Amino acid sequence: MGHDPGGQDDNTFRAFMNALYNTIDAPVTYFREQIVEPNQKQYPWYHKRYRRVPTIDQCYDDDVVCDFEANAQFKRDRAVDSEILSILRQRYEDCMVYERPDHEAACVPLYKKYKDAAEAWFIKYGDLGGYADARKAYMKQKHRMIWERRNGKLSTLT
């Protein structure tokens, strides 16, 4: 009459298939759990993690190596921030396509996140041009801080 809840199966074919499955699966599972997993190195990151280097404001004027490292760090940070902005933009556009024609209510939180991230990106990297470096970004930040001290906040983000 089908499957017995007591653990005994009265279907001969199903009992045979379970026995065959356990014959093949048991050694593989044992090998994986007892040998492979205990000896496996754990890699929590799939990309190279760079240590944070001193920023341009921590470098001495004549320290060329520190300037180079700060510029490399700035370019990595800019690439990461640009990619984050691109992902947020793509999520918002996907939401607009998926939720059409009633996308206003569903996509508003994604739009706000994207606009906040775009504003933060422009505050940090905007108007620097294609050949921007850490020193130019630092000067832009300094000029912005001086302007805000004299005139008040520019945006609600900061």
Side-chain angles (χ1 to χ4, degrees):
M1 274 287 213
H3 189 69
D4 183 20
Q8 231 18 12
D9 198 351
D10 60 351
N11 186 330
T12 310
F13 179 72
R14 192 171 26 228
F16 172 75
M17 291 307 291
N18 284 337
L20 181 64
Y21 174 79
N22 290 334
T23 304
I24 294 171
D25 183 61
V28 173
T29 303
Y30 175 82
F31 182 77
R32 172 97 180 147
E33 291 175 353
Q34 300 299 323
I35 296 172
V36 173
E37 288 177 359
N39 295 316
Q40 190 175 22
K41 289 184 179 179
Q42 297 298 320
Y43 295 106
W45 305 102
Y46 296 102
H47 58 279
K48 186 173 181 176
R49 294 194 64 196
Y50 293 97
R51 65 177 178 81
R52 299 299 293 187
V53 298
T55 55
I56 197 73
D57 62 319
Q58 297 169 336
C59 295
Y60 292 109
D61 290 335
D62 59 346
D63 193 354
V64 179
V65 175
C66 187
D67 278 355
F68 177 80
E69 288 178 343
N71 281 326
Q73 183 71 55
F74 172 78
K75 289 177 182 177
R76 281 193 297 270
D77 290 344
R78 183 175 174 172
V80 168
D81 290 344
S82 297
E83 191 62 31
I84 290 170
L85 190 63
S86 175
I87 289 169
L88 289 174
R89 182 184 313 111
Q90 188 63 46
R91 284 182 184 171
Y92 172 66
E93 290 172 356
D94 289 346
C95 179
M96 295 286 285
V97 170
Y98 183 76
E99 297 292 338
R100 195 164 267 158
D102 302 324
H103 55 77
E104 285 87 12
C107 301
V108 167
L110 289 173
Y111 182 72
K112 286 182 181 177
K113 282 184 184 178
Y114 167 67
K115 290 306 274 183
D116 289 345
E119 183 180 4
W121 188 94
F122 191 79
I123 287 171
K124 189 170 183 182
Y125 304 110
D127 292 336
L128 288 177
Y131 298 104
D133 62 350
R135 191 166 305 279
K136 287 180 185 175
Y138 180 62
M139 289 298 120
K140 179 182 175 183
Q141 180 184 15
K142 183 187 76 154
H143 295 312
R144 180 185 170 94
M145 289 173 57
I146 292 170
W147 195 92
E148 285 181 348
R149 185 181 302 159
R150 292 179 183 161
N151 301 314
K153 296 281 186 193
L154 282 171
S155 73
T156 59
L157 191 76
T158 56

